[in-house]
Amino acid sequence: PVKFNLGTEENIRRYGQSVPPEYDLSVINSTNIALIYAANDWLNDIRDINLLKKTLKVKLLDDYLVPDTTWNHMELMWARDVGKYVNTKILEILHKCD
């Protein structure tokens, strides 16, 4: 994953190079990370999620793929069953942190 692409001129001004640099995700050391994602997400492709999981060097609090394969990015917040599939999972994760 790379930092936000601001265009060549702004990239040079902000980052000192024409293209945005990559984030070094391997230096993340927080153990308070949980992933909740959908298989049909058009913003967070499942291949990117898998790459993130391989790159992180810490144990995740949770790694949860919503079981409904039709869900996409918007369903994670707005679906009729968000309480069943997402909110209950969030509460479960929060209880692990007690």
Side-chain angles (χ1 to χ4, degrees):
V2 295
K3 293 186 178 183
F4 192 74
N5 189 345
L6 303 164
T8 302
E9 287 182 34
E10 187 63 19
N11 287 342
I12 291 171
R13 190 180 79 67
R14 278 215 195 162
Y15 308 130
Q17 57 192 52
S18 61
V19 295
E22 287 193 22
Y23 284 107
D24 183 3
L25 301 176
S26 68
V27 299
I28 294 173
N29 60 10
S30 174
T31 56
N32 294 317
I33 300 172
L35 300 179
I36 299 174
Y37 51 98
N40 197 30
D41 194 327
W42 40 270
L43 281 177
N44 294 311
D45 189 274
I46 198 78
R47 292 170 294 193
D48 292 333
I49 298 293
N50 289 330
L51 179 61
L52 172 63
K53 291 191 293 186
K54 286 180 189 173
T55 306
L56 290 172
K57 305 297 183 206
V58 294
K59 185 177 187 307
L60 297 172
L61 282 175
D62 209 310
D63 177 7
Y64 177 67
L65 172 63
V66 173
D68 187 329
T69 59
T70 66
W71 275 37
N72 67 37
H73 198 75
M74 299 306 288
E75 271 82 16
L76 291 169
M77 294 261 321
W78 303 111
R80 179 174 295 139
D81 290 332
V82 74
K84 173 182 172 184
Y85 289 125
V86 177
N87 295 351
T88 54
K89 178 54 78 171
I90 291 171
L91 289 173
E92 179 185 310
I93 292 166
L94 290 173
H95 286 300
K96 288 181 188 178
C97 297
D98 283 348

